[in-house]
Coordinates of all heavy atoms in Angstrom, one line a residue:
M1 N 0.8 -1.2 -0.1 CA 0.0 0.0 -0.1 C 0.9 1.2 0.0 O 1.9 1.3 0.7 CB -0.9 0.0 1.3 CG -2.2 0.8 1.1 SD -3.4 0.1 2.3 CE -3.5 1.7 3.1
N2 N 0.6 2.2 -0.9 CA 1.3 3.5 -0.8 C 0.4 4.6 -0.6 O -0.7 4.5 -0.3 CB 2.0 3.6 -2.3 CG 1.0 3.6 -3.4 OD1 -0.1 4.0 -3.2 ND2 1.5 3.2 -4.5
S3 N 1.0 5.8 -0.7 CA 0.2 7.0 -0.2 C -0.9 7.3 -1.3 O -1.9 8.0 -0.8 CB 1.1 8.2 -0.2 OG 1.6 8.4 -1.5
R4 N -0.9 6.8 -2.5 CA -1.9 7.1 -3.4 C -3.2 6.1 -3.3 O -4.2 6.3 -3.8 CB -1.4 7.0 -4.8 CG -0.4 8.2 -5.2 CD 0.1 8.0 -6.5 NE 0.8 6.7 -6.5 CZ 1.9 6.4 -7.1 NH1 2.6 7.3 -7.7 NH2 2.5 5.2 -7.1
S5 N -2.9 4.9 -2.8 CA -3.9 3.9 -2.7 C -4.9 4.4 -1.6 O -4.6 4.6 -0.6 CB -3.4 2.5 -2.6 OG -2.8 2.4 -1.3
K6 N -6.2 4.0 -1.9 CA -7.3 4.4 -0.9 C -7.9 2.9 -0.3 O -8.5 3.1 0.7 CB -8.4 5.0 -1.5 CG -7.9 6.4 -1.9 CD -8.9 7.2 -2.6 CE -8.4 8.6 -3.0 NZ -9.3 9.4 -3.8
T7 N -7.5 1.9 -0.9 CA -8.1 0.6 -0.4 C -6.9 -0.4 -0.3 O -5.9 -0.3 -1.0 CB -9.2 0.1 -1.2 OG1 -8.8 -0.1 -2.5 CG2 -10.4 1.0 -1.3
I8 N -7.2 -1.5 0.4 CA -6.3 -2.6 0.4 C -6.8 -3.6 -0.6 O -7.9 -3.9 -0.6 CB -6.3 -3.2 1.8 CG1 -5.7 -2.2 2.9 CG2 -5.3 -4.5 1.7 CD1 -5.7 -2.7 4.3
K9 N -5.8 -4.0 -1.5 CA -6.3 -5.0 -2.6 C -6.0 -6.4 -1.9 O -4.9 -6.7 -1.5 CB -5.2 -4.8 -3.8 CG -5.4 -3.4 -4.4 CD -6.8 -3.2 -5.0 CE -6.7 -1.8 -5.6 NZ -8.0 -1.4 -6.3
L10 N -7.0 -7.1 -2.1 CA -6.9 -8.6 -1.6 C -7.1 -9.6 -2.7 O -7.9 -9.3 -3.6 CB -7.9 -8.8 -0.4 CG -7.9 -8.1 0.8 CD1 -9.1 -8.4 1.8 CD2 -6.6 -8.5 1.5
G11 N -6.4 -10.5 -2.8 CA -6.6 -11.7 -3.7 C -7.8 -12.5 -3.5 O -8.6 -12.3 -2.5
K12 N -8.2 -13.3 -4.5 CA -9.5 -14.1 -4.3 C -9.4 -15.1 -3.3 O -10.3 -15.4 -2.6 CB -9.7 -14.8 -5.7 CG -10.1 -13.8 -6.8 CD -10.4 -14.6 -8.0 CE -10.9 -13.5 -9.1 NZ -11.4 -14.1 -10.3
W13 N -8.2 -15.6 -3.0 CA -7.9 -16.6 -1.9 C -8.2 -15.9 -0.6 O -8.9 -16.5 0.3 CB -6.5 -17.2 -1.9 CG -6.4 -18.2 -2.9 CD1 -5.7 -18.1 -4.1 CD2 -6.8 -19.6 -2.8 NE1 -5.8 -19.2 -4.8 CE2 -6.6 -20.1 -4.1 CE3 -7.5 -20.3 -1.9 CZ2 -6.8 -21.4 -4.4 CZ3 -7.9 -21.5 -2.2 CH2 -7.4 -22.1 -3.4
W14 N -7.7 -14.8 -0.3 CA -7.9 -14.0 0.9 C -9.5 -13.6 1.1 O -10.0 -13.7 2.2 CB -7.1 -12.7 1.0 CG -5.7 -13.0 1.4 CD1 -4.6 -13.0 0.7 CD2 -5.3 -13.4 2.6 NE1 -3.5 -13.4 1.2 CE2 -3.8 -13.7 2.5 CE3 -5.8 -13.7 3.9 CZ2 -3.1 -14.1 3.6 CZ3 -5.0 -14.2 4.9 CH2 -3.6 -14.3 4.8
L15 N -10.1 -13.2 0.0 CA -11.5 -12.9 0.1 C -12.3 -14.1 0.4 O -13.2 -14.1 1.3 CB -12.0 -12.3 -1.2 CG -11.6 -10.9 -1.6 CD1 -12.1 -10.5 -2.8 CD2 -12.3 -10.0 -0.4
G16 N -11.9 -15.3 -0.1 CA -12.6 -16.5 0.2 C -12.3 -17.0 1.7 O -13.3 -17.4 2.4
I17 N -11.2 -16.7 2.1 CA -10.9 -17.1 3.5 C -11.7 -16.2 4.6 O -12.4 -16.6 5.4 CB -9.3 -16.9 3.9 CG1 -8.6 -18.1 3.1 CG2 -9.1 -16.9 5.4 CD1 -7.0 -18.0 3.3
V18 N -11.7 -14.8 4.2 CA -12.3 -13.8 5.2 C -13.8 -14.0 5.0 O -14.5 -13.9 6.0 CB -11.8 -12.4 4.8 CG1 -12.7 -11.4 5.4 CG2 -10.4 -12.3 5.1
K19 N -14.3 -14.3 3.9 CA -15.8 -14.4 3.7 C -16.4 -15.6 4.1 O -17.5 -15.6 4.5 CB -16.1 -14.0 2.1 CG -17.4 -13.6 1.9 CD -17.4 -13.2 0.4 CE -18.7 -12.5 0.0 NZ -18.8 -12.2 -1.4
Y20 N -15.7 -16.7 3.9 CA -16.3 -18.1 4.2 C -15.7 -18.9 5.2 O -16.3 -19.4 6.2 CB -16.3 -19.0 2.9 CG -17.2 -18.2 1.7 CD1 -16.4 -17.7 0.6 CD2 -18.3 -18.1 1.8 CE1 -17.1 -17.1 -0.4 CE2 -19.1 -17.5 0.8 CZ -18.5 -16.9 -0.3 OH -19.1 -16.3 -1.4
L21 N -14.3 -19.1 5.2 CA -13.6 -19.9 6.0 C -13.5 -19.3 7.5 O -14.0 -20.1 8.4 CB -12.3 -20.3 5.5 CG -11.4 -21.2 6.3 CD1 -12.1 -22.5 6.2 CD2 -10.0 -21.3 5.8
L22 N -13.2 -18.1 7.6 CA -13.1 -17.6 8.9 C -14.5 -17.6 9.6 O -14.5 -17.9 10.9 CB -12.6 -16.1 8.8 CG -12.2 -15.3 10.1 CD1 -11.2 -16.2 11.0 CD2 -11.7 -14.0 9.8
P23 N -15.7 -17.1 9.1 CA -16.8 -17.2 9.8 C -17.2 -18.6 10.3 O -17.8 -19.0 11.3 CB -17.9 -16.7 8.9 CG -17.1 -15.8 8.0 CD -15.8 -16.5 7.9
I24 N -16.8 -19.6 9.4 CA -17.2 -21.1 9.7 C -16.4 -21.5 11.0 O -16.9 -22.1 11.9 CB -16.9 -21.9 8.5 CG1 -18.1 -21.7 7.5 CG2 -17.0 -23.5 8.9 CD1 -17.7 -22.4 6.1
V25 N -15.1 -21.2 10.9 CA -14.2 -21.5 12.0 C -14.7 -20.9 13.4 O -14.8 -21.5 14.4 CB -12.8 -21.2 11.8 CG1 -11.9 -21.4 12.9 CG2 -12.2 -22.1 10.6
L26 N -14.9 -19.6 13.2 CA -15.5 -18.9 14.4 C -16.8 -19.4 15.0 O -17.0 -19.5 16.2 CB -15.6 -17.3 14.2 CG -14.2 -16.6 13.9 CD1 -14.5 -15.2 13.6 CD2 -13.4 -16.6 15.2
T27 N -17.7 -19.8 14.1 CA -18.9 -20.4 14.5 C -18.7 -21.7 15.3 O -19.3 -21.9 16.3 CB -19.8 -20.5 13.3 OG1 -20.1 -19.3 12.7 CG2 -21.1 -21.2 13.8
I28 N -17.8 -22.6 14.7 CA -17.5 -23.8 15.3 C -16.8 -23.7 16.7 O -17.3 -24.3 17.7 CB -16.6 -24.7 14.4 CG1 -17.4 -25.1 13.2 CG2 -16.1 -25.9 15.1 CD1 -16.5 -25.7 12.1
V29 N -15.9 -22.6 16.8 CA -15.3 -22.4 18.1 C -16.4 -21.9 19.1 O -16.4 -22.3 20.3 CB -14.1 -21.4 18.0 CG1 -13.7 -20.9 19.3 CG2 -13.1 -22.0 17.2
W30 N -17.3 -21.0 18.7 CA -18.3 -20.4 19.5 C -19.3 -21.5 19.9 O -19.6 -21.5 21.2 CB -19.1 -19.3 18.7 CG -20.1 -18.6 19.5 CD1 -19.8 -17.8 20.8 CD2 -21.5 -18.7 19.4 NE1 -21.1 -17.4 21.2 CE2 -22.0 -17.9 20.4 CE3 -22.2 -19.3 18.5 CZ2 -23.4 -17.6 20.5 CZ3 -23.7 -19.1 18.6 CH2 -24.2 -18.3 19.6
I31 N -19.7 -22.3 19.1 CA -20.6 -23.4 19.5 C -20.0 -24.5 20.4 O -20.6 -24.8 21.4 CB -21.1 -24.2 18.2 CG1 -22.1 -23.3 17.4 CG2 -21.9 -25.5 18.7 CD1 -22.6 -23.8 16.1
G32 N -18.7 -24.7 20.2 CA -18.0 -25.6 21.1 C -17.9 -25.0 22.6 O -18.0 -25.6 23.5
G33 N -17.6 -23.6 22.5 CA -17.6 -23.0 23.9 C -18.9 -22.9 24.6 O -18.9 -23.1 25.8
M34 N -20.0 -22.8 23.7 CA -21.3 -22.8 24.3 C -21.6 -24.1 24.9 O -22.2 -24.2 26.0 CB -22.3 -22.3 23.4 CG -22.2 -20.9 22.8 SD -22.5 -19.7 24.1 CE -24.2 -19.8 24.3
I35 N -21.3 -25.2 24.3 CA -21.5 -26.5 24.7 C -20.8 -26.8 26.1 O -21.4 -27.4 27.0 CB -21.2 -27.5 23.7 CG1 -22.2 -27.5 22.5 CG2 -21.1 -29.0 24.3 CD1 -21.7 -28.3 21.3
D36 N -19.5 -26.3 26.1 CA -18.8 -26.5 27.4 C -19.4 -25.6 28.6 O -19.5 -26.2 29.7 CB -17.3 -26.0 27.1 CG -16.5 -27.0 26.5 OD1 -16.9 -28.1 26.3 OD2 -15.4 -26.6 25.9
V37 N -19.9 -24.5 28.2 CA -20.7 -23.7 29.2 C -21.9 -24.4 29.8 O -22.2 -24.4 30.9 CB -20.9 -22.2 28.7 CG1 -21.8 -21.5 29.7 CG2 -19.6 -21.5 28.5
V38 N -22.6 -25.0 28.8 CA -23.9 -25.6 29.2 C -23.6 -26.8 30.1 O -24.3 -27.1 31.0 CB -24.7 -25.9 27.9 CG1 -25.8 -26.8 28.1 CG2 -25.2 -24.6 27.3
K39 N -22.6 -27.5 29.7 CA -22.2 -28.8 30.5 C -21.9 -28.4 31.9 O -22.3 -29.3 32.9 CB -21.0 -29.5 29.9 CG -21.5 -30.3 28.6 CD -20.2 -31.0 28.0 CE -20.5 -31.7 26.8 NZ -19.3 -32.3 26.2
A40 N -21.2 -27.3 32.2 CA -20.7 -27.0 33.5 C -21.3 -25.9 34.2 O -20.7 -25.3 35.1 CB -19.2 -27.1 33.4
A41 N -22.5 -25.4 33.8 CA -23.0 -24.1 34.4 C -24.1 -24.4 35.3 O -24.8 -25.4 35.3 CB -23.5 -23.3 33.2
T42 N -24.3 -23.3 36.2 CA -25.3 -23.4 37.1 C -26.6 -22.8 36.4 O -26.4 -22.3 35.2 CB -25.1 -22.5 38.4 OG1 -24.9 -21.2 37.9 CG2 -23.9 -23.1 39.1
F43 N -27.7 -22.7 37.0 CA -29.0 -22.1 36.2 C -28.9 -20.7 35.9 O -29.2 -20.3 34.9 CB -30.2 -22.4 37.2 CG -31.4 -21.9 36.6 CD1 -32.0 -22.6 35.5 CD2 -32.0 -20.7 37.0 CE1 -33.1 -22.1 34.9 CE2 -33.2 -20.2 36.4 CZ -33.7 -20.9 35.3
E44 N -28.2 -19.9 36.8 CA -28.1 -18.5 36.6 C -27.2 -18.2 35.4 O -27.4 -17.3 34.7 CB -27.5 -17.8 38.0 CG -28.5 -17.8 39.0 CD -28.5 -19.0 39.9 OE1 -27.7 -19.8 39.7 OE2 -29.5 -19.1 40.7
Q45 N -26.0 -19.0 35.4 CA -25.1 -18.9 34.3 C -25.8 -19.2 33.0 O -25.5 -18.6 32.0 CB -23.8 -19.8 34.6 CG -22.9 -19.2 35.7 CD -21.9 -20.3 36.1 OE1 -22.0 -21.4 35.8 NE2 -20.8 -19.7 36.5
L46 N -26.6 -20.2 33.0 CA -27.3 -20.8 31.8 C -28.2 -19.7 31.3 O -28.4 -19.3 30.1 CB -28.0 -22.0 32.0 CG -27.2 -23.3 32.1 CD1 -28.1 -24.4 32.3 CD2 -26.4 -23.5 30.8
V47 N -28.9 -18.9 32.2 CA -29.8 -17.9 31.9 C -29.1 -16.7 31.2 O -29.4 -16.2 30.2 CB -30.7 -17.3 33.0 CG1 -31.5 -16.2 32.7 CG2 -31.6 -18.6 33.5
F48 N -28.0 -16.4 31.8 CA -27.2 -15.3 31.4 C -26.6 -15.6 29.9 O -26.6 -14.7 29.2 CB -26.1 -15.0 32.3 CG -25.2 -13.9 31.9 CD1 -25.5 -12.5 32.0 CD2 -23.9 -14.2 31.3 CE1 -24.7 -11.5 31.5 CE2 -23.0 -13.3 30.8 CZ -23.5 -11.8 30.9
T49 N -26.2 -16.8 29.8 CA -25.6 -17.2 28.6 C -26.6 -17.2 27.5 O -26.3 -16.8 26.4 CB -24.9 -18.6 28.8 OG1 -23.9 -18.6 29.8 CG2 -24.3 -19.1 27.3
V50 N -27.7 -17.7 27.8 CA -28.9 -17.7 26.7 C -29.3 -16.3 26.3 O -29.4 -16.0 25.1 CB -30.1 -18.5 27.2 CG1 -31.3 -18.3 26.3 CG2 -29.7 -20.0 27.3
I51 N -29.3 -15.4 27.4 CA -29.7 -14.1 27.0 C -28.6 -13.3 26.2 O -28.9 -12.7 25.2 CB -30.0 -13.3 28.3 CG1 -31.4 -13.8 29.0 CG2 -30.1 -11.8 28.1 CD1 -31.6 -13.3 30.4
S52 N -27.3 -13.6 26.6 CA -26.3 -13.0 25.9 C -26.2 -13.5 24.5 O -25.9 -12.7 23.5 CB -25.0 -13.3 26.6 OG -24.9 -12.7 27.9
A53 N -26.3 -14.8 24.3 CA -26.2 -15.3 22.9 C -27.4 -14.9 22.1 O -27.2 -14.5 20.9 CB -26.3 -16.9 23.0
A54 N -28.6 -14.7 22.6 CA -29.8 -14.1 21.9 C -29.5 -12.8 21.5 O -29.8 -12.3 20.4 CB -31.1 -14.3 22.7
I55 N -29.0 -11.9 22.3 CA -28.7 -10.5 22.0 C -27.6 -10.4 20.9 O -27.8 -9.7 20.0 CB -28.2 -9.7 23.2 CG1 -29.4 -9.6 24.2 CG2 -27.6 -8.4 23.0 CD1 -29.0 -9.0 25.6
L56 N -26.6 -11.2 21.0 CA -25.6 -11.4 20.0 C -26.1 -11.7 18.6 O -25.8 -11.1 17.6 CB -24.5 -12.2 20.4 CG -23.3 -12.5 19.3 CD1 -22.6 -11.2 19.3 CD2 -22.5 -13.6 19.8
L57 N -27.0 -12.8 18.6 CA -27.6 -13.3 17.4 C -28.6 -12.2 16.8 O -28.6 -12.0 15.5 CB -28.2 -14.6 17.6 CG -27.2 -15.8 17.8 CD1 -28.1 -17.0 18.1 CD2 -26.3 -15.9 16.8
V58 N -29.3 -11.6 17.7 CA -30.3 -10.5 17.1 C -29.6 -9.4 16.6 O -29.9 -8.7 15.5 CB -31.3 -10.2 18.3 CG1 -32.2 -9.0 17.9 CG2 -32.2 -11.5 18.5
A59 N -28.6 -8.9 17.3 CA -27.8 -7.8 16.8 C -27.1 -8.1 15.4 O -27.1 -7.2 14.6 CB -26.7 -7.4 17.9
T60 N -26.6 -9.2 15.2 CA -25.9 -9.6 14.1 C -27.0 -9.7 13.0 O -26.7 -9.1 11.9 CB -25.3 -11.0 14.3 OG1 -24.3 -11.0 15.3 CG2 -24.6 -11.4 12.9
L61 N -28.2 -10.2 13.3 CA -29.2 -10.2 12.1 C -29.6 -8.9 11.9 O -29.8 -8.5 10.6 CB -30.4 -11.1 12.7 CG -31.6 -11.1 11.8 CD1 -31.2 -12.1 10.6 CD2 -32.8 -11.8 12.4
I62 N -29.8 -7.9 12.8 CA -30.3 -6.6 12.5 C -29.2 -5.9 11.6 O -29.5 -5.3 10.6 CB -30.5 -5.8 13.7 CG1 -31.7 -6.3 14.5 CG2 -30.5 -4.3 13.6 CD1 -31.9 -5.7 15.9
F63 N -27.9 -6.0 11.9 CA -26.8 -5.3 11.2 C -26.7 -6.0 9.8 O -26.3 -5.3 8.8 CB -25.5 -5.4 11.8 CG -25.4 -4.4 13.0 CD1 -25.0 -4.9 14.1 CD2 -25.8 -3.1 12.8 CE1 -25.0 -4.0 15.4 CE2 -25.6 -2.2 13.9 CZ -25.3 -2.6 15.1
T64 N -27.1 -7.2 9.6 CA -27.1 -7.9 8.3 C -28.2 -7.4 7.5 O -28.0 -7.2 6.2 CB -27.1 -9.4 8.5 OG1 -26.0 -9.9 9.3 CG2 -27.1 -10.1 7.2
V65 N -29.4 -7.2 8.0 CA -30.6 -6.8 7.2 C -30.7 -5.3 6.9 O -31.2 -4.9 6.0 CB -31.8 -7.3 8.0 CG1 -33.1 -6.8 7.3 CG2 -31.8 -8.8 8.2
L66 N -30.0 -4.5 7.8 CA -30.0 -3.1 7.6 C -29.5 -2.8 6.0 O -28.6 -3.3 5.6 CB -29.1 -2.4 8.6 CG -29.7 -2.1 9.9 CD1 -28.6 -1.5 10.8 CD2 -31.0 -1.3 10.0
P67 N -30.1 -1.7 5.5 CA -29.7 -1.4 4.1 C -28.3 -0.6 4.2 O -28.0 -0.1 5.2 CB -30.8 -0.5 3.6 CG -31.4 0.1 4.9 CD -31.3 -1.0 5.9
A68 N -27.6 -0.6 3.1 CA -26.3 0.1 2.9 C -26.5 1.5 3.1 O -27.6 2.1 2.6 CB -25.6 -0.2 1.7
Q69 N -25.6 2.2 3.6 CA -25.6 3.7 3.8 C -25.6 4.5 2.5 O -26.1 5.4 2.2 CB -24.4 4.1 4.6 CG -24.5 3.8 6.1 CD -25.6 4.4 6.8 OE1 -26.0 5.6 6.5 NE2 -26.2 3.8 7.8
T70 N -24.7 4.0 1.4 CA -24.6 4.5 0.2 C -25.1 3.5 -0.8 O -24.9 2.2 -0.7 CB -23.2 4.8 -0.2 OG1 -22.3 3.7 -0.1 CG2 -22.7 6.0 0.9
P71 N -25.6 3.9 -2.0 CA -26.0 2.9 -3.0 C -24.9 2.3 -3.7 O -25.1 1.2 -4.3 CB -27.0 3.8 -4.0 CG -26.5 5.3 -3.6 CD -26.0 5.4 -2.3
D72 N -23.7 2.8 -3.6 CA -22.5 2.2 -4.3 C -22.0 1.0 -3.4 O -21.2 0.3 -4.0 CB -21.4 3.2 -4.4 CG -21.9 4.4 -5.3 OD1 -22.9 4.3 -6.0 OD2 -21.3 5.4 -5.1
W73 N -22.4 0.8 -2.3 CA -21.8 -0.2 -1.4 C -22.0 -1.6 -1.9 O -21.1 -2.5 -1.8 CB -22.4 -0.2 0.0 CG -21.7 -1.1 0.9 CD1 -22.3 -2.2 1.4 CD2 -20.5 -1.2 1.5 NE1 -21.5 -2.9 2.2 CE2 -20.4 -2.3 2.3 CE3 -19.4 -0.2 1.3 CZ2 -19.2 -2.5 3.0 CZ3 -18.3 -0.4 2.0 CH2 -18.1 -1.6 2.8
D74 N -23.0 -1.9 -2.7 CA -23.3 -3.1 -3.3 C -22.5 -3.5 -4.4 O -22.3 -4.7 -4.8 CB -24.8 -3.3 -3.7 CG -25.7 -3.3 -2.5 OD1 -25.3 -3.8 -1.5 OD2 -26.9 -2.9 -2.6
D75 N -21.7 -2.5 -5.0 CA -20.7 -2.7 -6.0 C -19.4 -3.4 -5.5 O -18.6 -2.7 -4.9 CB -20.4 -1.5 -6.8 CG -21.0 -1.4 -8.2 OD1 -21.6 -2.4 -8.6 OD2 -21.0 -0.3 -8.7
A76 N -19.2 -4.6 -5.6 CA -18.1 -5.3 -5.0 C -16.9 -4.8 -5.7 O -15.7 -4.8 -5.1 CB -18.2 -6.8 -5.1
E77 N -16.9 -4.5 -6.9 CA -15.7 -4.1 -7.7 C -15.0 -2.8 -7.1 O -13.8 -2.8 -7.1 CB -15.9 -3.9 -9.2 CG -16.4 -5.0 -9.9 CD -15.3 -6.1 -10.0 OE1 -14.1 -5.8 -10.1 OE2 -15.6 -7.3 -9.8
E78 N -15.8 -2.0 -6.6 CA -15.4 -0.6 -6.1 C -14.7 -0.9 -4.7 O -13.8 -0.2 -4.2 CB -16.5 0.4 -6.0 CG -16.9 0.9 -7.2 CD -18.0 1.9 -7.1 OE1 -18.1 2.4 -6.0 OE2 -18.6 2.2 -8.2
R79 N -15.2 -1.9 -3.8 CA -14.6 -2.2 -2.5 C -13.3 -3.0 -2.6 O -12.5 -3.0 -1.7 CB -15.7 -2.9 -1.6 CG -16.7 -2.1 -1.2 CD -17.5 -2.8 -0.2 NE -17.7 -4.1 -0.4 CZ -18.9 -4.6 -0.6 NH1 -19.9 -4.0 -0.7 NH2 -19.0 -6.0 -0.9
V80 N -13.2 -3.8 -3.7 CA -12.1 -4.7 -3.7 C -10.9 -4.1 -4.3 O -10.9 -3.3 -5.3 CB -12.5 -6.1 -4.4 CG1 -11.4 -7.0 -4.5 CG2 -13.6 -6.7 -3.7

């Protein structure tokens, strides 16, 4: 990256890793952690964990469904 460039150029492999592989790995790790918590938790910890997980999932869904701020955002060629 130099002083004239405005974006970071990523290759197709990196885009695939960031877009598909990384979320899958993080989801597997998160689910594994949740299973460990459920196995060894008290009732209060389970209630807190369920509420926290629900808030996290709902917030993620809301940010995914929200429309883009600019109409150009859907153009992948400009972001890449």
Side-chain angles (χ1 to χ4, degrees):
M1 207 162 115
N2 59 30
S3 62
R4 293 176 302 223
S5 66
K6 296 180 181 175
T7 60
I8 297 173
K9 304 288 183 187
L10 295 175
K12 290 184 181 186
W13 283 102
W14 280 108
L15 285 177
I17 290 171
V18 170
K19 204 172 185 182
Y20 301 110
L21 187 63
L22 188 60
I24 291 171
V25 170
L26 290 175
T27 301
I28 291 170
V29 169
W30 183 66
I31 290 172
M34 293 297 285
I35 290 171
D36 286 342
V37 167
V38 169
K39 284 181 182 177
T42 64
F43 179 73
E44 291 84 10
Q45 289 173 332
L46 287 177
V47 170
F48 178 78
T49 302
V50 168
I51 291 172
S52 299
I55 290 171
L56 177 68
L57 292 175
V58 168
T60 303
L61 180 66
I62 288 171
F63 286 125
T64 302
V65 174
L66 281 176
Q69 293 288 330
T70 61
D72 299 342
W73 183 252
D74 292 331
D75 254 351
E77 294 296 324
E78 292 182 17
R79 287 194 318 249
V80 178

